[in-house]
Each structure stands twice: as structure tokens, then as C-alpha cells.
């Protein structure tokens, strides 16, 4: 079986007209129109698709100024719903991009839901409605695919920068798969004496290291900046001053080399680090555990994040650090407690925290329990081993994590469990998960090099966002408290032509916003500076409509 | 045509300039304390667009390195370092105090360092008389007796003296245009003065 495209010829017309009549009983094209298309219409490119010797589909693409228009397109009846429409559309997109056109448009009957769905899946947006366009009085949707935003080839080279906490990191990822370099300059040694990350010190070290790290990443990849197609950047959450350095560096490179910026949420990076190990199988749950996070994230699809459980107080990594300090084990606490615990026994039991919310966690109580235990034993002159306390604490902390995670994967019926964040390096957590995750759920644990902060993970998430057309302008700011759940892509919803024009009138270029929260805060800002009550109300309506549509 | 990019975000302004051949082609000085991060790169872009300068044709960057707002200094300096590093062009780091003083006359530059303290720089014809430092307002008041005939610039309101607007782009260009600068920019870092 082989698909073959070629230009439509006179000899194809019997079959073409037959398909046309079946496809458009209420008025398609007749033979004369197709003859005109082949012989005289200078803007037309009529093509037929053959499967071996059978003509199974066709289209005609008109070249109009800057854009192409799909004048007609049809698939032979018995080949419908077999992905042939997609084969035709792919060819149309390919042809249009090759010839340098900036967009493709088409008209479609409002009632033709399967076709609209197919076009949407190829990135077409409804931009307006033509009332009573068809001869039976039916409305037509005008749909457009913007090719300038979409010349996102799957073969691209992304340079990613991460500076949200205490690692200055740059990585280069080719075609979404091949990690060409991954440089991490860690500041741990500088923060150790303070027993935690000092924000101002972190910012200072980032600006000292940033150019070295960029240069090393390019050298290791044997590339120059001219080879880079886009820059992925951690925009938040994180330490504000630290984020600034990475973002300014990314913007500078974006400006000099005229390449797009891809804003990435730090936690989406941790989650997507797992793609270095396995493809995602949806639905899935990601357990995000680090010094700043303890979260259960449900994902129904690519880049769709729903937080179903989280810590109500300390993050698990934080509790490791605090307990390590109580035991005089130094900073960071995770690796050292994990190591020491191996030589101990889980002799001590700690009271279990009561937490509201089925999948929520609590880690602030356990450090108090550890402190009380040590004080009590010292007061009674009891001898104890640090190893035993470390082991007891670790067992207790991880049990809470594993129990709730098991409950969630069962309740949500997921296919995969991903583990993400610094604590995913913990050997006891890995072991417990391997033992407890049921056979029908695939457990994915990131490689050790990818558990702590790095830019390879930002590149990986950035690649996914880039494929969806997510880029940002030079006026983007950092967002130290960015919520993963707010990373809703605006492009899920098509504004009508009129709504879009209304927003532009208010100085909001909808096309420039890719994340819902940015768009909403921009609209809020406009509402607050407008004196006109009608305008205020209209903007409120548009805002709520956009939020509703996007949350669907 | 060789073009120089001039940047400063170390105090309350976002300063961007483009100069070439003794001429300042573009100059902007926007008051935007703590918003420099969002607008800085857009302003650089605007400056390049208006002067029809190819971003890759910048051949030198003059930038302030502080003292000043910690976060502020790092905005312009990160841009300048990454820019110069990418194109292998020289970077001329200039003290913010010196930028305030400019090339002409005897000047004492002041910048609010909060908690009744200020950064102070003393300059004569663009050359420093003593090292920039941070002092209490009281100490500065006493010091002034030794520097009669010096004009106060910058946050002079700290000493209840009326101030004049400083033209940062002009001052920075005049101070930096004849300097060769540093091509190995990795080691150019902010000057914080406080909290060493």
C-alpha cells in the first residue's frame, strides 16, 4: 500500500466528480469547474491522492497573496475516518510552508463537526462566521491556520536556561530527543554554611556564572548560537532575583539571534524530565517531590496539569533538611539522611498527622516529633543512634507519600506514575514505589542526573510547549509564585473575529498570550484603568467567557 | 558602522542609549523602579529598531555595575554580559557613582542606600578622588566640609538639596567611548559595596 500525490489531470475527473457529488450533495463543484481548475485557474493547485491505483481523495489549493486557501477538499466515502483527511491536510500544510505562505484559510459548514474537529487538530482556528453562506442558508466558519507561528519544525535545537534556585544551568536539546549538552553549575557549597539557600547569594552567583555556563553548553554541543532555533526559560516559580538573571539572559539571546522564547514552568520541567526515560501514557499521575514541593499532579493529556494533592505545610525535602539539622548532619538533608538511614532500624514511631483533603500531605509535624524524641531521650540519659532516628523518620515520611500516591493512582485509574523532583533520587522512595505500584501501572523514575534542578528538563518541557506554538515576547516577566495549574494554554479556545478585535481595541493582542493567567491579568489591568463603565463591563464578560472556555 | 549600546538599571531608571561616532543616536531614561525586568529588553529592542541597528552590529557596550539596587544592577549587567559574550565584543563597566558624576567638574554622587545610609562617590573631571563607599547620612554631612566647591548630584534630597536630572546616556558615553573595555566578560560582576 502506497500513498501517492500528483497534480490533478483530465483523466482523474470522472472519479473526482463522483466523489464530489457524494461528498457535497447540496452543491459541490461540477465537471466544468474542475476542468477550469486544471486548465485555466492560474492560482489553483489541484492535487489527487492515490492509494496504489485507486483515487481516494483530492484538494485544490489556491495561492492568494500571502496565504493559501483550501478551495475544495474531499475523501472517497469508503475511506473516511481512516486518517486520509489528515494525509491531505499534511500535504497542504507542507506545500504552503515550502512556498513561503504565511497562513492557510478555508470555509466549512457550521454543521460539519467531524471536519471542524479535524481542522482544529491541525491548528486551524475559527476566526469568523459567514451568515447564510451556503445555498441552503447554512452559516460557514472561516478557519485559518497561522503558519508563521507554526513553522515549528519537529527538528529544532532548543537551548534552555534554568536559574530558579541554586543551580545555574544551560542545556541544548536537538529534535526533542538528543541531549547535546547539559551543564549545571551548582551553588550548594556556597549555601551550605547557611543551612539553606540564601536568595541574594543565589542571584549573585547566577550572574557570575551565567556566561561561562552558556559558553560551556555550546562548546559541549559543538554548536554556535546561530544553530539555536529557540530558547526555553524557567519563568517561575522560584527565587525572584535568581529568575531575573536567567530570564534577562534568555531575552538577550532571543533579541540578538531573533529566535523565540519559550516560557516554562519549573515543575513542568521536573515532570517532563521523565520523557528522557519513557514516553507518557495518559492519563497519568506525577508525584512531584523536592525541597519546595510535594504535589500529586494528574495529567489527562500533554501539558494539562491538575493538582489533586499537595502539602498543607512543609515540603518533604524541607522536612529532610530540618531533621538533618536536628541530627547535625548538614545541608542538604535528603541524600545524607537516606545514606545514614541504611545503617539504622525504624525503632521509633511518630504520630500521624491529620490532613484535610484525601491526597494532601503534611510534613511540619514530624520534625517536632523528632525534636521531642531527641530531647526526651537526652533528658532520660537514654543512648540512641542517629541512624535509627534517621531511619524511623525516613520510613514515616516516605510512607505518607507512598500511601497517598497509591490511593490516587487507584482512584484515577492511571496508566503511569511519574516521579519528579529532587526527592525522587531517594533510594528508599524508589524501592517502596517499585514494591507497591500495581503491575498494570507503569512506574517511571527519572535518571539520577535529572532529579535535581537542571536545564535539560526545561528543554524537554520547552520542546513540548514549542510544538504547541507557545512562545513569549520580550516583555515577559518572571513569576516567582506561578502555579502549575495556571499554565493553561490560551490557544485551546478560539475567539471570534469580533471578540479578538474588541480586545485589540483595548490594547490587548490576544495572539501574544499563551498562558491563561497572563491574559487574564492583562485584561484585569485594562479593566482597572478604564473609566468607561460599558467598556469595563464588556471586558468582564469577555474575561469570564475566556476563562470558562479555557477551563472546559 | 560601529555602534555602542549604553545601559543602566542600577537606580530608579531604565536607561538605554545607542551611540556612534561621537554622536548619541538614541537616548531614553524612564523612571520605572523595580519594573526594569519586564521593560528592559523591550526598550533595547525599541532603541535598535528606531536607530535601524542590527542587534549583531553592536560593537561595544557601556554599562553601570553599581552600587545601587541589587536586583536593578543585575538586570542591565546580565543583558550586557550575555550580549557581549555572545558577540565577543568589549564591555566597559562603569561605576554608577561615576556615571552620575559625568566627565565634567567636581562632583559628589549620592544614591539612597536605605536605613539612613547612602552610596557616595567623589569625582573630579570623571576621575575618582576616593573610592565609592556607603556611609550614613551623618557621616556624609561631616565629610562635605572637606569637599567645598564639589557639586552634589543624584539623591541630593537626602541632604535637603535640590537636584538636577542626570543625563545618564550622555555621561556614560563620554566616560566609556574611549575605553577599550573587556572582552572576557565572565569576570565582570556587580559592585554591591554593602554586605560583602
Amino acid at each position: 500500500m502506497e500513498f501517492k500525490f500528483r497534480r490533478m489531470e483530465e483523466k482523474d475527473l470522472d472519479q473526482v466528480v463522483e466523489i464530489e457529488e457524494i461528498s457535497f450533495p447540496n452543491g459541490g463543484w461540477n465537471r466544468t469547474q474542475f476542468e477550469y481548475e486544471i486548465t485555466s485557474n492560474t492560482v489553483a493547485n489541484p492535487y489527487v491522492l492515490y492509494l496504489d491505483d485507486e483515487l481516494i481523495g483530492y484538494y485544490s489549493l489556491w495561492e492568494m497573496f500571502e496565504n493559501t486557501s483550501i478551495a475544495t477538499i474531499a475523501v472517497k466515502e469508503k475511506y473516511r475516518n481512516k486518517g486520509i483527511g489528515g494525509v491531505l491536510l499534511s500535504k497542504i500544510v507542507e506545500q504552503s510552508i515550502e512556498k513561503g505562505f504565511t497562513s492557510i484559510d478555508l470555509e466549512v459548514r457550521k454543521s460539519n463537526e467531524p471536519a471542524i474537529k479535524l481542522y482544529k487538530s491541525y491548528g486551524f482556528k475559527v476566526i469568523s462566521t459567514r451568515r447564510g453562506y451556503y445555498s441552503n442558508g447554512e452559516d460557514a466558519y472561516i478557519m485559518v491556520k497561522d503558519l508563521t507561528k507554526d513553522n515549528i519544525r519537529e527538528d529544532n535545537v532548543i537551548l534552555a536556561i534554568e536559574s530558579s534556585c541554586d543551580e545555574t544551568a544551560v542545556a541544548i536539546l536537538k529534535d526533542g530527543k538528543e541531549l547535546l549538552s547539559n551543564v549545571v553549575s551548582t551553588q550548594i557549597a556556597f549555601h551550605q554554611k547557611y543551612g539553606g539557600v540564601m536568595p541574594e547569594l543565589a542571584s549573585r552567583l547566577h550572574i557570575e556564572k551565567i556566561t561561562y555556563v552558556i559558553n560551556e553548553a555550546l562548546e559541549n554541543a559543538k554548536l554556535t548560537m546561530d544553530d539555536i532555533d529557540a530558547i526555553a526559560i524557567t519563568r517561575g516559580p522560584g527565587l525572584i532575583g535568581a529568575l531575573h538573571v536567567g530570564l534577562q539572559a534568555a531575552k538577550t539571546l532571543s533579541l540578538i539571534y531573533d529566535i523565540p522564547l519559550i516560557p516554562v514552568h519549573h515543575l513542568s520541567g521536573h515532570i517532563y524530565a521523565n520523557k528522557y526515560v519513557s514516553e507518557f501514557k495518559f492519563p497519568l499521575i506525577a508525584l512531584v517531590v523536592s525541597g519546595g514541593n510535594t504535589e500529586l499532579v494528574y495529567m489527562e493529556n500533554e501539558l494539562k496539569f491538575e493538582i489533586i494533592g499537595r502539602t498543607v505545610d512543609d515540603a518533604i525535602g524541607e522536612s529532610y533538611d530540618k531533621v538533618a539539622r536536628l541530627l547535625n548532619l548538614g545541608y542538604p538533608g535528603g541524600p545524607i539522611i537516606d545514606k545514614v538511614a541504611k545503617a539504622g532500624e525504624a525503632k521509633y514511631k511518630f504520630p500521624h498527622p491529620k490532613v484535610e483533603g484525601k491526597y494532601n500531605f503534611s510534613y511540619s509535624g514530624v520534625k517536632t516529633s523528632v525534636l521531642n524524641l531527641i530531647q526526651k531521650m537526652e533528658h532520660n540519659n537514654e543512648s540512641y543512634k542517629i541512624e535509627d532516628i534517621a531511619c524511623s523518620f525516613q520510613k514515616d515520611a516516605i510512607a505518607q507519600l507512598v500511601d497517598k500516591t497509591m490511593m490516587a493512582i487507584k482512584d484515577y485509574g492511571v496508566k503511569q506514575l511519574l516521579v519528579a523532583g529532587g526527592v525522587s533520587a531517594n533510594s528508599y522512595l524508589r524501592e517502596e514505589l517499585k514494591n507497591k505500584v500495581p503491575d498494570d501501572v507503569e512506574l517511571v523514575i527519572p535518571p539520577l542526573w535529572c532529579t535535581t534542578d537542571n536545564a535539560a528538563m526545561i528543554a524537554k518541557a520547552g520542546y513540548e510547549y514549542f510544538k504547541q506554538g507557545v512562545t513569549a515576547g520580550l516583555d515577559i516577566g518572571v513569576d516567582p509564585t506561578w502555579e502549575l495549574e495556571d499554565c493553561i494554554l490560551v490557544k485551546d479556545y478560539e475567539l471570534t473575529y469580533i471578540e479578538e478585535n474588541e480586545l485589540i481595541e483595548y490594547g490587548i493582542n490576544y495572539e501574544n498570550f499563551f498562558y491563561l493567567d497572563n491574559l487574564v491579568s492583562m485584561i484585569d489591568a485594562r479593566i482597572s484603568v478604564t473609566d468607561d463603565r460599558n467598556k469595563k463591563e464588556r471586558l468582564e464578560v469577555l474575561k469570564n467567557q475566556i476563562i470558562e472556555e479555557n477551563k472546559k | 558602522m560601529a555602534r555602542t549600546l549604553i545601559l543602566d538599571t542600577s537606580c530608579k531608571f531604565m536607561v538605554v542609549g545607542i551611540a556612534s561616532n561621537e554622536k548619541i543616536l538614541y537616548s531614553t531614561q524612564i523612571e520605572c523602579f523595580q519594573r526594569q525586568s519586564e521593560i528592559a529588553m523591550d526598550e533595547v529592542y525599541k532603541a535598535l529598531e528606531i536607530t535601524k541597528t542590527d542587534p549583531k552590529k553592536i560593537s561595544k557596550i557601556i554599562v553601570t555595575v553599581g552600587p545601587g539596587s541589587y536586583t536593578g544592577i543585575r538586570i542591565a549587567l546580565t543583558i550586557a554580559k550575555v550580549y557581549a559574550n555572545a558577540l565577543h565584543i568589549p564591555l566597559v563597566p562603569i561605576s554608577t557613582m561615576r556615571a552620575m558624576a559625568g566627565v565634567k567638574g567636581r562632583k559628589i554622587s549620592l544614591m539612597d542606600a536605605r536605613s539612613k545610609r547612602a552610596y557616595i562617590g567623589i569625582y573630579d573631571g570623571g576621575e575618582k578622588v576616593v573610592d565609592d563607599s556607603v556611609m550614613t547620612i551623618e557621616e556624609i554631612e561631616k565629610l562635605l566640609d572637606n569637599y567645598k566647591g564639589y557639586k552634589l548630584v543624584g539623591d541630593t534630597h537626602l541632604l535637603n538639596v535640590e537636584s538636577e536630572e542626570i543625563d545618564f546616556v550622555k555621561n556614560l558615553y563620554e566616560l566609556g567611548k574611549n575605553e577599550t573595555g573587556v572582552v572576557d566578560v565572565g569576570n565582570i560582576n556587580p559592585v554591591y559595596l554593602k554586605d560583602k
Side-chain angles (χ1 to χ4, degrees):
Chain A
M1 295 228 302
E2 198 194 350
F3 288 125
K4 227 157 80 194
F5 277 102
R6 65 167 168 76
R7 246 189 123 83
M8 192 183 286
E9 292 167 18
E10 181 73 36
K11 65 180 182 206
D12 300 318
L13 289 190
D14 285 346
Q15 294 179 78
V16 166
V17 172
E18 198 187 323
I19 298 173
E20 181 83 3
E21 280 170 357
I22 295 167
S23 303
F24 306 107
N26 299 324
W29 288 3
N30 58 33
R31 193 181 181 94
T32 323
Q33 278 166 303
F34 278 108
E35 275 169 357
Y36 173 75
E37 206 72 357
I38 298 172
T39 56
S40 320
N41 187 352
T42 52
V43 299
N45 291 283
Y47 273 78
V48 287
L49 173 65
Y50 273 84
L51 179 64
D52 298 327
D53 298 326
E54 192 178 359
L55 194 160
I56 61 165
Y58 57 84
Y59 64 82
S60 186
L61 191 63
W62 290 3
E63 297 177 355
M64 323 279 283
F65 308 104
E66 303 278 284
N67 62 302
T68 56
S69 293
I70 303 175
T72 185
I73 180 168
V75 174
K76 195 170 180 174
E77 201 175 15
K78 71 171 182 177
Y79 286 95
R80 290 199 192 138
N81 303 318
K82 291 187 168 61
I84 307 300
V87 175
L88 294 172
L89 275 178
S90 299
K91 182 75 179 173
I92 287 169
V93 172
E94 188 190 308
Q95 274 184 338
S96 304
I97 289 175
E98 249 171 37
K99 293 187 176 176
F101 289 98
T102 55
S103 65
I104 309 173
D105 58 42
L106 59 86
E107 286 135 13
V108 59
R109 275 175 197 270
K110 218 170 165 177
S111 63
N112 192 352
E113 276 178 35
I116 293 169
K117 218 174 139 190
L118 174 70
Y119 296 137
K120 282 189 177 177
S121 75
Y122 274 76
F124 284 83
K125 282 186 173 187
V126 174
I127 60 149
S128 62
T129 308
R130 271 190 199 155
R131 309 256 171 243
Y133 179 77
Y134 293 101
S135 53
N136 66 344
E138 200 183 334
D139 294 346
Y141 275 145
I142 311 294
M143 297 184 78
V144 172
K145 180 179 171 70
D146 184 347
L147 298 174
T148 56
K149 235 189 278 168
D150 206 85
N151 57 20
I152 292 149
R153 312 166 330 242
E154 305 229 334
D155 56 328
N156 53 37
V157 182
I158 293 176
L159 180 142
I161 303 176
E162 150 70 37
S163 70
S164 65
C165 190
D166 60 344
E167 330 272 353
T168 318
V170 176
I172 297 173
L173 179 68
K174 186 170 182 266
D175 306 343
K177 293 185 209 76
E178 202 186 331
L179 189 60
L180 299 181
S181 64
N182 181 34
V183 181
V184 181
S185 165
T186 180
Q187 310 175 349
I188 284 189
F190 297 92
H191 297 288
Q192 243 155 5
K193 62 178 167 190
Y194 303 103
V197 178
M198 296 293 288
E200 173 61 19
L201 179 61
S203 308
R204 292 183 178 194
L205 293 166
H206 283 306
I207 191 171
E208 285 176 19
K209 291 285 183 283
I210 187 74
T211 53
Y212 295 111
V213 177
I214 293 171
N215 293 349
E216 196 181 330
L218 286 165
E219 270 163 37
N220 291 357
K222 298 190 175 64
L223 295 178
T224 67
M225 273 308 300
D226 291 313
D227 302 312
I228 306 296
D229 297 307
I231 306 204
I233 173 68
T234 307
R235 191 188 150 230
L239 304 171
I240 181 163
L243 290 164
H244 277 318
V245 174
L247 183 67
Q248 294 305 327
K251 283 187 186 182
T252 307
L253 295 174
S254 162
L255 173 94
I256 303 174
Y257 297 96
D258 192 20
I259 47 178
L261 275 181
I262 313 164
V264 175
H265 190 285
H266 182 77
L267 289 188
S268 75
H270 274 301
I271 292 170
Y272 273 82
N274 284 288
K275 278 217 171 175
Y276 284 108
V277 186
S278 168
E279 274 305 307
F280 288 179
K281 296 184 187 97
F282 299 103
L284 63 80
I285 279 178
L287 171 65
V288 185
V289 276
S290 68
N293 293 91
T294 311
E295 266 142 25
L296 278 169
V297 182
Y298 175 72
M299 289 178 71
E300 200 179 61
N301 220 321
E302 293 287 4
L303 303 175
K304 286 212 159 148
F305 308 102
E306 184 192 338
I307 294 174
I308 56 169
R310 64 183 352 149
T311 180
V312 295
D313 39 54
D314 290 357
I316 181 165
E318 209 176 333
S319 77
Y320 266 83
D321 287 342
K322 286 176 178 170
V323 169
R325 212 180 304 164
L326 291 174
L327 299 174
N328 288 320
L329 290 172
Y331 169 88
I336 184 74
I337 288 187
D338 193 18
K339 194 176 152 200
V340 169
K342 288 200 171 97
E345 266 178 73
K347 275 189 183 168
Y348 310 105
K349 295 267 176 296
F350 303 109
H352 275 257
K354 283 196 182 66
V355 194
E356 254 183 64
K358 196 172 176 191
Y359 311 112
N360 284 347
F361 307 94
S362 168
Y363 281 102
S364 74
V366 66
K367 66 159 192 299
T368 318
S369 304
V370 171
L371 180 65
N372 290 342
L373 176 70
I374 296 172
Q375 283 174 341
K376 198 178 101 199
M377 290 192 294
E378 285 183 349
H379 184 259
N380 298 341
N381 280 327
E382 266 176 69
S383 69
Y384 64 89
K385 280 165 65 189
I386 282 178
E387 289 83 353
D388 293 340
I389 297 178
C391 182
S392 308
F393 159 73
Q394 166 144 296
K395 199 171 171 199
D396 192 85
I398 300 290
Q400 193 189 149
L401 214 54
V402 174
D403 291 351
K404 301 237 160 153
T405 306
M406 290 310 118
M407 222 153 56
I409 60 177
K410 189 166 160 254
D411 294 353
Y412 280 81
V414 298
K415 296 190 179 123
Q416 252 179 350
L417 171 66
L418 313 179
V419 194
V423 181
S424 68
N426 183 283
S427 68
Y428 181 64
L429 172 64
R430 289 179 172 226
E431 195 187 302
E432 280 293 284
L433 287 173
K434 272 179 205 149
N435 292 337
K436 296 205 168 141
V437 171
D439 290 342
D440 56 345
V441 177
E442 186 190 348
L443 173 65
V444 186
I445 298 179
L448 278 176
W449 63 263
C450 215
T451 54
T452 47
D453 288 355
N454 62 77
M457 67 185 200
I458 302 302
K460 202 76 168 172
Y463 177 78
E464 295 297 329
Y465 279 114
F466 196 41
K467 269 207 300 199
Q468 307 267 339
V470 176
T471 55
L474 292 175
D475 56 352
I476 188 180
V478 301
D479 190 344
T481 58
W482 202 10
E483 292 281 345
L484 185 58
E485 277 184 308
D486 289 335
C487 297
I488 298 170
L489 301 184
V490 177
K491 70 180 287 177
D492 286 351
Y493 165 55
E494 293 82 24
L495 283 181
T496 67
Y497 190 62
I498 295 163
E499 288 163 347
E500 194 168 319
N501 271 349
E502 272 187 276
L503 286 176
I504 287 170
E505 218 176 279
Y506 296 125
I508 301 164
N509 191 353
Y510 184 76
E511 293 285 306
N512 287 344
F513 291 89
F514 289 96
Y515 289 118
L516 183 62
D517 58 331
N518 298 23
L519 177 62
V520 168
S521 58
M522 185 65 180
I523 298 176
D524 277 334
R526 286 286 179 263
I527 291 172
S528 69
V529 297
T530 302
D531 294 327
D532 185 330
R533 240 186 85 188
N534 289 334
K535 278 187 182 174
K536 263 189 203 289
E537 276 168 15
R538 180 61 191 155
L539 278 170
E540 274 301 338
V541 170
L542 282 174
K543 183 184 89 175
N544 292 333
Q545 194 181 331
I546 288 167
I547 294 171
E548 276 310 300
E549 288 288 338
N550 275 292
K551 295 223 157 144
K552 260 181 204 164
Chain B
M1 182 77 88
R3 296 214 160 157
T4 300
L5 175 64
I6 297 152
L7 290 171
D8 165 61
T9 53
S10 57
C11 37
K12 61 186 175 191
F13 298 110
M14 168 76 235
V15 174
V16 181
I18 307 265
S20 172
N21 240 351
E22 301 288 322
K23 251 174 74 185
I24 290 167
L25 306 175
Y26 179 91
S27 170
T28 184
Q29 184 160 324
I30 308 163
E31 193 166 337
C32 64
F33 188 60
Q34 292 187 341
R35 270 188 51 243
Q36 287 117 330
S37 168
E38 281 86 357
I39 73 164
M41 197 51 62
D42 231 14
E43 289 300 324
V44 173
Y45 177 76
K46 224 187 275 171
L48 295 168
E49 279 283 295
I50 290 171
T51 56
K52 297 196 169 59
T53 307
D54 177 346
K56 289 183 188 168
K57 291 280 155 65
I58 292 291
S59 55
K60 181 169 164 178
I61 301 176
I62 305 173
V63 66
T64 50
V65 289
S69 139
Y70 296 168
T71 301
I73 310 167
R74 284 192 289 260
I75 302 288
L77 191 55
T78 303
I79 298 170
K81 278 180 79 167
V82 173
Y83 208 126
N85 174 66
L87 298 182
H88 308 289
I89 56 172
L91 183 62
V92 183
I94 288 184
S95 148
T96 308
M97 298 292 110
R98 191 167 170 231
M100 289 163 90
V103 288
K104 284 193 197 110
R106 295 175 155 191
K107 303 271 176 68
I108 294 180
S109 313
L110 288 177
M111 196 197 311
D112 194 350
R114 285 177 291 184
S115 327
K116 292 184 181 159
R117 292 188 299 169
Y119 298 109
I120 175 168
I122 305 177
Y123 289 85
D124 188 349
E127 299 303 321
K128 76 174 175 201
V129 178
V130 291
D131 285 343
D132 295 344
S133 62
V134 60
M135 291 181 189
T136 63
I137 304 296
E138 259 174 52
E139 286 168 334
I140 292 171
E141 278 169 343
K142 279 183 207 152
L143 188 79
L144 288 184
D145 294 338
N146 304 335
Y147 292 95
K148 297 241 157 60
Y150 279 73
K151 190 178 167 193
L152 289 173
V153 291
D155 289 338
T156 54
H157 61 87
L158 295 169
L159 298 173
N160 298 316
V161 174
E162 245 179 78
S163 66
E164 286 171 27
E165 182 144 322
I166 296 168
D167 187 340
F168 276 95
V169 170
K170 181 171 164 277
N171 287 0
L172 281 167
Y173 188 54
E174 286 174 352
L175 289 166
K177 66 184 179 190
N178 296 322
E179 304 263 338
T180 36
V182 184
V183 179
D184 185 8
V185 299
N187 290 322
I188 298 182
N189 288 307
V191 175
Y192 300 104
L193 286 186
K194 284 197 293 185
D195 310 339
K196 266 189 193 159

